[in-house]
Amino acid sequence: MVPLALGSDTGGSVRQPAALCGVSGFKPTYGRISRHGLVAFGSSLDQVAPLARSVRDLATLTRALAGPDGRDATALDTTLGRTGDGDALDGLRVGVPREFFPDALDADVRAVVEHALDDLRARGAQLVDVTLPLVPAALSTYYVLAASEASSNLARFDGVRYGVRVAGDGSLASMMARTRTHGFGAEVKRRILLGTYALSSGYHDAWYGRAQAVRAALTANFARLFADTVDVLAGPTSPTPAFPLGERADPVAMYASDVLTVPASLAQLPALSVPCGFVERDARRLPVGMQLIGAHGADALVLDAGAAFQGATTHHRDAPCTKESAR
Amino acid sequence: MTGAWRTVIGLETHVQLGTHTKLFCGCANEFGAPPNANTCELCTGQPGSLPLLNERALRLAVRAALALDADVAARSTFDRKNYFYCDLPKGFQTTQYVAPYASGGGVALDDGSFVRLTRIHMEEDAGKAIHDRGDTTLVDLNRAGVPLIEIVTEPDLSNAEQAFEYLTKLKEVLVYAGVSDCDMEKGSLRCDVNVSVHREDEPLGTRVEIKNLNSFRNVRAAIEHEVERQTRALDDGTAIVQETRLFDVDANATRTMRVKEDEDDYRYFPEPDLPPALVTDEVLRVERAAIPELPTARRARYANELGLSEYDAGVLTAERATSDFFDAALRAADPGAAKLLANWTTNELLAATADPDVPGAALDELRVSPADLAALVALVERGEIHSAAARTVLRETLRSGRAPDDVVRELGLAQASDPAEIEAWCTAAIDADPRATEQVRAGNGKAIGALIGAVMKRSQGRANPEVVRSVLTRMLEVDA
Ligand SMILES: [Zn+2]
């Protein structure tokens, strides 16, 4: 329908759908694209993120969106840098964290991603086994921090100035409570409650405080790997292929699908999802995404590595939902 | 027998910074605009808006801290204080909780004590909820996002008088430093008080916070009443409840606003939308240089170096404009003229600023420059004009802005000492007031004052009063 699209990626909301739908999605380094105008959910995690059929198109769109912005104090003051290095895979050190291949990973997805890693090696990349011991803690860390920030960011929807207002019993507090009860959906309320709890006095240190500490340590984990050992990290984007609509009624099962995308969100790193093959499910071909993560600010390298991968493979043209695949 | 009651007081003072724009957006920081005129996407809490730190606000905050001898952090951070209220558009106030930009410093009181500052932090003001319009509450967000500093003292004060003096001195420093106008009526300075009472040899008592204090006098009164209330309760064996109380001016007493259990849990966490505020050595240098000599130092200089009275030194330093004008005139004058300059500044010029017929409502708006005043006082000192004539000259300079020397020449106001000219005025005065003349002749020496005054008036102040006295004496004796 369209060649380019925009989403916002807080914990994987662009990379996940890109992987499950067989398109390319890129969450730039935090601050690469201004958040001005973006409705905030988790302010320290939110990034405007493009979707496209190819990484080359993603790079074009990212370049158009990136750059310093006088209206977002957290926007980076550096530019994207040069992209378009066709030989980006040649000699590229690709770290493969064992924590990106957990027991819960779908076996077929694992096989497809391992095959894609072989393709990277065939194009000159050097695969390095690495470890990121805090990755298993990333999911709960993410949900505490994102919900905490969301509980604050969504406070402005109180019925006072704009949007829905439901009359109260005459007091301001009841108007606000009824407005918010009526206006928010169940999942949003769940996260607001979770975040409010995590920030409350008496629980703040155990929840928000600990999550902040894990985030800092995880960020340091990543930084050390990029400083010493690897240029990019690779693994699956999602632990499973697309699941039937309505199958995951349990929110915790739903949250678990973010397990591989939230580490890069917490560390504010550039992360790309590219189609890397298909799995068979109920006689249907479902796309699988590979995630490439770069060092803070290394957006251009991640995009170049992804573009080089697509230059050597055809998965991105093979996507089931594109006109090209119907040919 | 137990020890005497001791009072422990700490103050939290909010001061609006005198910036042109708000703390995190470009809206005007201006008092008295029509409701919600100074608002934008950010300060009304629209989704998608992001804060940008006003560099000027940071600099004024730094200057305030330096003027109060506080230590300024090279790096400070912002936090969100979350609570719901209709005047708080974002549902949180952006403030500095964990790492304020300044700490330490303080204010010296006249009794030799020193009120230490715990911390100074930056934050944004909330809007205003207006409740007195029937059933509805109206919200004005002009104030939402106005830059504030909150100055928190250690519990170093021990009575209401000290609190009053601390606030007076704090205000002086901030006004002199150009940080704020500290006008409580406009809400640009607001103060909350923490008071507790305990026995001399016992641990500190339960703390009560008093809010809604809209003048320094009310701060003093509220503390006095609260100390009395707490002391009486403790004497009766009643425990003090930790709570927030309001000062009711009409009842002249404090009353419960909310008890501790009802207080919001503010759920502080770091503001993700703002990077740390950084203060470079260059900013420190520039802001330190922008701080003028402070009023305490000026008063000491006026008293010790110029020999002015404590009263005059106080009047001269009550407003920075007065003191600056006086100092400028002093620089243009003879060192010995300080007392005369002080008199002219505090009497004639301050009166002129209040006179609707004189152009200019402040010293720096008057048509008399400090150099003009110095020149005028020099004329008086040299005996070239009499002080009554000098007042005429000043009135003319205030009106037209012409230099005093020129006015003296043009109006022919140079002091007249020629006996023939003076004799003519004296004759006219004697003829006009036979009663006084009779009294003088009858031996009432004091009555001559009326005749001298009449001569001065006729001469428009030009006559030398000493010469007038001798001429009158001679004329009346000759006639007798
Ligand atoms: Zn604004």
Side-chain angles (χ1 to χ4, degrees):
Chain A
M1 278 188 281
V2 292
L4 304 165
L6 281 180
S8 64
D9 188 314
T10 303
S13 309
V14 158
R15 286 165 287 158
Q16 285 280 346
L20 302 188
C21 299
V23 297
S24 304
F26 179 50
K27 182 201 85 73
T29 299
Y30 181 81
R32 177 64 72 203
I33 298 174
S34 168
R35 291 180 296 120
H36 184 250
L38 176 69
V39 176
F41 181 76
S43 307
S44 73
L45 300 149
D46 294 339
Q47 261 301 281
V48 171
L51 293 125
R53 262 176 287 185
S54 73
V55 176
R56 280 183 56 187
D57 289 352
L58 283 180
T60 305
L61 182 53
T62 303
R63 182 172 299 285
L65 295 166
D69 180 45
R71 291 191 283 185
D72 176 359
T74 64
L76 297 174
D77 54 9
T78 57
T79 58
L80 180 62
R82 275 187 47 151
T83 52
D85 176 7
D87 298 327
L89 291 178
D90 200 15
L92 189 74
R93 296 172 301 166
V94 178
V96 184
R98 71 173 67 102
E99 294 79 6
F100 281 3
F101 295 83
D103 293 341
L105 181 64
D106 182 279
D108 297 334
V109 169
R110 175 191 299 263
V112 168
V113 172
E114 281 173 349
H115 190 263
L117 292 173
D118 286 341
D119 284 344
L120 290 175
R121 182 161 35 207
R123 299 294 297 178
Q126 179 194 333
L127 298 188
V128 188
D129 284 330
V130 295
T131 179
L132 278 168
L134 284 172
V135 159
L139 192 66
S140 44
T141 299
Y142 170 82
Y143 273 92
V144 168
L145 296 179
S148 295
E149 293 183 6
S151 72
S152 172
N153 283 328
L154 299 177
R156 65 188 62 197
F157 299 99
D158 56 10
V160 172
R161 293 161 308 281
Y162 47 74
V164 178
R165 178 189 290 180
V166 179
D169 63 9
S171 74
L172 176 72
S174 81
M175 184 280 282
M176 285 181 171
R178 287 182 196 176
T179 296
R180 294 168 63 76
T181 301
H182 172 80
F184 290 130
E187 180 56 32
V188 172
K189 280 183 209 157
R190 184 177 296 122
R191 294 190 187 197
I192 290 173
L193 287 172
L194 176 64
T196 303
Y197 176 81
L199 288 172
S200 295
S201 88
Y203 305 97
H204 189 287
D205 291 351
W207 293 96
Y208 184 83
R210 261 173 82 195
Q212 281 284 63
V214 173
R215 180 182 197 171
L218 176 70
T219 305
N221 263 199
F222 273 112
R224 208 171 310 119
L225 275 186
F226 287 118
D228 302 339
T229 318
V230 301
D231 301 310
V232 297
L233 295 165
T237 306
S238 173
T240 64
F243 42 88
L245 190 65
E247 187 193 77
R248 297 194 180 166
D250 173 15
V252 176
M254 191 72 182
Y255 298 165
S257 40
D258 299 337
V259 63
L260 299 172
T261 48
V262 295
S265 299
L266 288 169
Q268 305 191 323
L269 304 176
L272 171 71
S273 179
V274 288
C276 68
F278 293 87
V279 297
E280 290 287 333
R281 243 350 96 86
D282 304 327
R284 263 184 286 209
R285 289 174 81 224
L286 295 180
V288 173
M290 174 170 67
Q291 180 172 232
L292 296 174
I293 300 172
H296 192 270
D299 303 55
L301 178 65
V302 170
L303 290 168
D304 277 353
F309 175 75
Q310 291 187 339
T313 58
T314 57
H315 311 296
H316 62 296
R317 290 185 222 283
D318 249 3
C321 51
T322 65
K323 283 181 183 164
E324 276 177 284
S325 68
R327 272 197 306 237
Chain B
M1 187 63 198
T2 44
W5 290 119
R6 280 277 168 94
T7 302
V8 176
I9 302 165
L11 299 179
E12 295 168 11
T13 311
H14 287 88
V15 176
Q16 288 183 345
L17 301 174
T19 53
H20 295 300
T21 57
K22 294 185 180 181
L23 186 55
F24 298 123
C25 63
C27 292
N29 170 15
E30 161 194 36
F31 181 78
N36 298 306
N38 298 330
T39 58
C40 71
E41 54 175 45
L42 190 277
C43 57
T44 57
Q46 307 293 319
S49 59
L50 290 171
L52 292 168
L53 179 62
N54 179 343
E55 187 67 24
R56 184 84 198 129
L58 175 61
R59 282 171 170 261
L60 284 183
V62 165
R63 194 192 298 174
L66 294 174
L68 293 165
D69 283 329
D71 299 318
V72 175
R75 181 183 185 278
S76 63
T77 54
F78 291 93
D79 301 279
R80 290 187 184 179
K81 178 180 181 177
N82 296 283
Y83 65 96
F84 287 98
Y85 196 60
C86 59
D87 65 7
L88 191 71
K90 294 176 295 180
F92 58 83
Q93 178 193 30
T94 303
T95 179
Q96 296 193 304
Y97 182 63
V98 174
Y101 83 95
S103 57
V107 173
L109 303 185
D110 288 343
D111 64 7
S113 60
F114 188 76
V115 183
R116 292 166 300 159
L117 301 184
T118 312
R119 55 186 280 155
I120 312 177
H121 64 256
M122 283 180 275
E123 62 187 24
E124 58 180 341
D125 212 337
K128 258 185 203 153
I130 300 149
H131 298 293
D132 56 1
R133 306 289 160 89
D135 282 349
T136 51
T137 293
L138 300 176
V139 179
D140 178 3
L141 296 178
N142 283 346
R143 202 180 68 181
V146 163
L148 295 175
I149 50 173
E150 180 173 344
I151 303 162
V152 183
T153 74
E154 293 286 303
D156 283 353
L157 300 133
S158 49
N159 59 58
E161 220 37 71
Q162 283 187 335
F164 186 86
E165 188 189 340
Y166 162 81
L167 287 169
T168 307
K169 294 219 153 75
L170 179 72
K171 175 177 170 172
E172 271 183 355
V173 168
L174 297 176
V175 170
Y176 266 67
V179 167
S180 171
D181 63 10
C182 294
D183 186 340
M184 277 189 110
E185 285 185 11
K186 294 194 297 186
S188 50
L189 187 151
R190 306 193 291 272
C191 179
D192 300 335
V193 180
N194 287 295
V195 185
S196 71
V197 168
H198 68 114
R199 292 270 184 203
E200 198 164 21
D201 44 10
E202 287 173 8
L204 292 184
T206 303
R207 199 179 54 165
V208 170
E209 185 175 10
I210 313 171
K211 286 186 180 291
N212 200 28
L213 300 164
N214 55 12
S215 70
F216 291 174
R217 212 170 307 156
N218 283 347
V219 170
R220 184 165 55 191
I223 293 173
E224 280 165 357
H225 286 95
E226 180 59 18
V227 169
E228 200 186 309
R229 183 189 74 84
Q230 290 189 23
T231 313
R232 208 182 312 118
L234 292 169
D235 277 337
D236 292 350
T238 313
I240 300 300
V241 180
Q242 186 171 346
E243 61 180 348
T244 302
R245 297 176 72 87
L246 289 178
F247 183 61
D248 186 331
V249 184
D250 299 329
N252 213 6
T254 62
R255 60 182 160 81
T256 298
M257 177 179 147
R258 60 167 181 251
V259 294
K260 188 174 187 291
E261 288 73 37
D262 295 338
E263 277 178 18
D264 280 314
D265 176 356
Y266 293 124
R267 310 190 312 280
Y268 288 99
F269 75 96
E271 168 58 89
D273 289 333
L274 285 168
L278 304 178
V279 177
T280 60
D281 289 346
E282 174 63 10
V283 167
L284 289 177
R285 195 188 59 74
V286 170
E287 295 309 321
R288 191 170 276 126
I291 300 169
E293 186 188 18
L294 294 172
T296 306
R298 290 192 199 207
R299 279 192 289 271
R301 177 164 58 84
Y302 293 166
N304 301 336
E305 291 177 23
L306 305 179
L308 301 184
S309 70
E310 202 174 298
Y311 176 81
D312 280 345
V315 175
L316 283 171
T317 52
E319 301 274 349
R320 180 179 166 187
T322 314
S323 179
D324 282 352
F325 191 99
F326 172 71
D327 280 338
L330 200 59
R331 279 191 293 276
D334 188 73
K339 268 190 182 143
L340 264 180
L341 279 177
N343 288 342
W344 281 85
T345 307
T346 56
N347 297 326
E348 306 300 326
L349 290 188
L350 286 180
T353 58
D355 185 344
D357 295 333
V358 173
L363 277 184
D364 50 5
E365 292 170 6
L366 293 179
R367 294 188 175 162
V368 170
S369 70
D372 289 338
L373 185 67
L376 185 69
V377 166
L379 287 170
V380 175
E381 266 206 317
R382 288 198 301 266
E384 291 178 29
I385 57 173
H386 181 257
S387 55
R391 267 187 279 277
T392 308
V393 175
L394 181 66
R395 265 194 302 280
E396 179 54 23
T397 305
L398 281 168
R399 193 187 64 76
S400 67
R402 279 182 297 158
D405 293 284
D406 297 343
V407 176
V408 168
R409 223 179 356 264
E410 284 163 32
L411 298 187
L413 287 172
Q415 190 146 292
S417 300
D418 173 14
E421 193 179 1
I422 291 175
E423 227 164 88
W425 287 321
C426 289
T427 306
I430 288 166
D431 290 347
D433 195 347
R435 230 187 88 164
T437 305
E438 212 41 59
Q439 284 173 341
V440 175
R441 283 196 174 127
N444 183 353
K446 281 184 187 164
I448 200 167
L451 294 174
I452 294 173
V455 172
M456 295 309 295
K457 205 167 175 183
R458 281 173 190 277
S459 72
Q460 291 181 294
R462 285 174 54 222
N464 181 329
E466 288 314 307
V467 178
V468 173
R469 177 182 293 274
S470 73
V471 168
L472 279 172
T473 308
R474 183 169 48 80
M475 288 172 81
L476 294 175
E477 274 170 4
V478 166
D479 276 18

